């Protein structure tokens, strides 16, 4: 997040949450992690529901995109700091 601030990029979700709610960076990160956990629970519940509104083949691309984003951003900014994922490159 600090690198983006130094470059003058758009504010991050953490920065927006901090500004909106007047909390510290640590509190904002914790709250955002909590929101992500709740969203994953919602996704998993919907996928398990046999009476879901949308058919599974329509939901799977969204699930896979969510998984990909969790992999990239789940433990920091894997897009900006892509070097730490060099061991995951395709063969």
């Amino acid at each position: 997040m600090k690198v983006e601030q130094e470059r003058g990029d758009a504010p991050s979700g953490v920065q927006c949450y901090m500004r909106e709610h007047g909390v510290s960076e640590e509190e904002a990160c914790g709250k955002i992690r909590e929101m992500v956990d709740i969203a994953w629970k919602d996704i998993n519940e919907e996928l398990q529901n046999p009476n879901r509104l949308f058919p599974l083949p329509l939901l799977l691309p969204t699930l896979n995109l969510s998984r990909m984003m969790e992999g990239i951003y789940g433990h920091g900014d894997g897009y900006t700091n892509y070097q730490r994922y060099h061991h995951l490159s395709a063969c």
Side-chain angles (χ1 to χ4, degrees), residues 8 17 25-26 28-29 33 39 43 49 58-59 68 71 75 86 90:
Y17 191 91
E25 182 177 341
E26 186 177 316
C29 287
R33 273 192 294 277
I43 289 169
N49 182 357
L58 192 60
L59 295 175
M68 183 182 75
H75 302 286
H86 70 278

Side-chain angles (χ1 to χ4, degrees), residues 18-83:
M18 288 168 55
R19 195 174 308 136
E20 261 183 52
H21 299 279
V23 297
S24 69
E25 182 177 341
E26 186 177 316
E27 290 174 291
C29 287
K31 184 60 177 174
I32 290 173
R33 273 192 294 277
E34 183 182 315
M35 289 189 285
V36 169
D37 289 343
I38 292 169
W40 274 114
K41 287 177 185 176
D42 291 343
I43 289 169
N44 288 323
E45 283 178 16
E46 183 63 25
L47 289 171
Q48 299 295 323
N49 182 357
N51 300 318
R52 61 184 157 266
L53 184 59
F54 298 104
L56 192 58
L58 192 60
L59 295 175
L60 286 179
T62 304
L63 172 64
N64 289 333
L65 178 61
S66 300
R67 287 177 177 159
M68 183 182 75
M69 299 310 288
E70 178 76 14
I72 292 172
Y73 293 106
H75 302 286
D77 186 351
Y79 180 75
T80 303
N81 300 317
Y82 64 90
Q83 292 89 357

Side-chain angles (χ1 to χ4, degrees), residues 1-6 12-15 18 25 29 77 81:
M1 185 167 66
K2 307 277 189 266
V3 175
E4 290 87 358
Q5 288 173 344
E6 291 170 6
S12 70
V14 173
Q15 291 170 319
M18 288 168 55
E25 182 177 341
C29 287
D77 186 351
N81 300 317

